[in-house]
């Protein structure tokens, strides 16, 4: 009887070990850490750390829910003050933020422009005047292999004619 209970316990532990990683990299702290790491990497800019805002989370959730049937990896569903990433397979929040931050290679601070690619998701991540975010992640309903992640920023960045920091 004791051996049976131990087997069931081990099966549960193994099962949890397989399930829990699928939820990893999607916590509030994961979103904040990824954003704030990018922000703090800009030497001398004194960009403040972002804080979580549940109102923004509600707003981005509502927006993402309206576009779940329109997910397309070739279409950017981002709007002012809101970064959106659609990708195949399981897209985590951390994956999305890292994709936005990877656009840094296209940003030229001296000309405040994108050279050779898109960089506006990156500039929104590091926008100095943005002080809070809310993020949401969901599986697309038009394609079960697509996931969508969105983060809304307040105040919104990417204001024409202004530098991000």
């Amino acid at each position: 009887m004791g051996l049976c209970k131990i087997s069931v316990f081990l099966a549960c532990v193994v099962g949890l070990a397989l399930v829990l990683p699928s939820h990893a990299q999607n916590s509030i702290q994961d979103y904040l850490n990824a954003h704030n790491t990018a922000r703090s990497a800009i030497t001398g800019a004194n960009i403040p750390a972002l804080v979580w805002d549940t109102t923004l989370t509600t707003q981005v959730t509502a927006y993402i829910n309206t576009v779940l049937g329109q997910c397309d990896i070739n279409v950017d569903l981002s709007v002012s003050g809101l970064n959106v990433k659609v990708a195949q397979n399981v897209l985590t929040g951390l994956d999305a933020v890292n994709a936005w931050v990877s656009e840094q290679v296209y940003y030229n601070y001296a000309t405040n422009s994108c050279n050779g690619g898109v960089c506006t998701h990156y500039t929104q991540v590091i926008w100095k005047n943005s002080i809070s975010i809310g993020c949401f992640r969901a599986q697309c309903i038009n394609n079960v292999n697509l996931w969508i992640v969105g983060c809304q920023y307040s105040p919104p960045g990417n204001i024409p004619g202004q530098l991000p920091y």
Side-chain angles (χ1 to χ4, degrees), residues 91-159:
L91 173 71
T92 67
L94 184 59
D95 294 335
V97 178
N98 286 339
W100 299 328
V101 172
S102 73
E103 294 177 1
Q104 177 183 10
V105 298
Y106 303 115
Y107 181 64
N108 182 322
Y109 185 83
T111 62
N112 193 28
S113 63
C114 302
N115 298 323
V118 173
C119 69
T120 52
H121 302 102
Y122 168 70
T123 53
Q124 177 59 79
V125 167
I126 61 160
W127 198 266
K128 186 174 185 171
N129 292 334
S130 294
I131 57 171
S132 59
I133 59 167
C135 302
F136 181 70
R137 173 184 171 267
Q139 190 169 18
C140 298
I141 59 174
N142 64 328
N143 184 330
V144 295
N145 293 321
L146 294 179
W147 287 78
I148 185 168
V149 173
C151 290
Q152 187 155 358
Y153 304 79
S154 180
N158 290 330
I159 299 168

Side-chain angles (χ1 to χ4, degrees), residues 49-115:
L50 292 171
V51 297
W52 194 259
D53 184 320
T54 56
T55 300
L56 291 175
T57 303
T58 301
Q59 291 171 356
V60 71
T61 300
Y63 176 73
I64 294 298
N65 282 330
T66 66
V67 297
L68 283 178
Q70 304 167 32
C71 294
D72 183 337
I73 59 174
N74 299 311
V75 177
D76 186 1
L77 297 170
S78 300
V79 294
S80 178
L82 188 136
N83 281 346
V84 176
K85 175 73 177 164
V86 176
Q88 290 183 319
N89 303 317
V90 179
L91 173 71
T92 67
L94 184 59
D95 294 335
V97 178
N98 286 339
W100 299 328
V101 172
S102 73
E103 294 177 1
Q104 177 183 10
V105 298
Y106 303 115
Y107 181 64
N108 182 322
Y109 185 83
T111 62
N112 193 28
S113 63
C114 302
N115 298 323

